[in-house]
Amino acid sequence: MGKNIDIIFGHYELEISRIYQMLYQINDIIIGIIFLIGSFFFFSDTLTYYGTWLFVAGSVLMLVRPFIALTHHIHVSRVYKQRGRHSQEK
């Protein structure tokens, strides 16, 4: 039904997006590894304490995800506004 409209204002915006996408993916990989190891730790009574802390760490990293996306949005918005000011000065 609706179509996405991408506003691209040059190479700089693409580089910014690539950096944030990479950070997002690295964070997701770390989250997956932490939760997987934490899950295996729950098979042993002696490792349950450490497994719990891994789940807490994974949960904190889950909270980092929206901050990465929000920071990306703010960064792109600032660059877009800055480029708009420069184009008005010309």
Side-chain angles (χ1 to χ4, degrees), residues 1-84:
M1 191 164 14
K3 293 185 178 184
N4 292 335
I5 298 173
D6 293 330
I7 300 173
I8 298 174
F9 49 89
H11 179 72
Y12 191 65
E13 190 270 341
L14 291 174
E15 288 300 316
I16 292 170
S17 293
R18 285 186 189 135
I19 291 168
Y20 285 101
Q21 287 171 356
M22 184 177 64
L23 287 173
Y24 200 85
Q25 295 302 322
I26 289 170
N27 187 55
D28 279 355
I29 290 168
I30 293 170
I31 290 170
I33 291 169
I34 286 174
F35 279 127
L36 182 64
I37 293 170
S39 296
F40 282 114
F41 279 15
F42 277 99
F43 287 123
S44 169
D45 289 337
T46 58
L47 295 175
T48 301
Y49 175 80
Y50 300 106
T52 302
W53 277 108
L54 285 173
F55 272 75
V56 170
S59 297
V60 169
L61 288 176
M62 292 283 288
L63 286 173
V64 169
R65 297 172 83 205
F67 286 107
I68 292 171
L70 181 62
T71 304
H72 175 222
H73 176 71
I74 291 169
H75 193 169
V76 169
S77 295
R78 284 184 181 167
V79 170
Y80 185 72
K81 286 177 186 175
Q82 187 177 31
R83 288 184 61 93

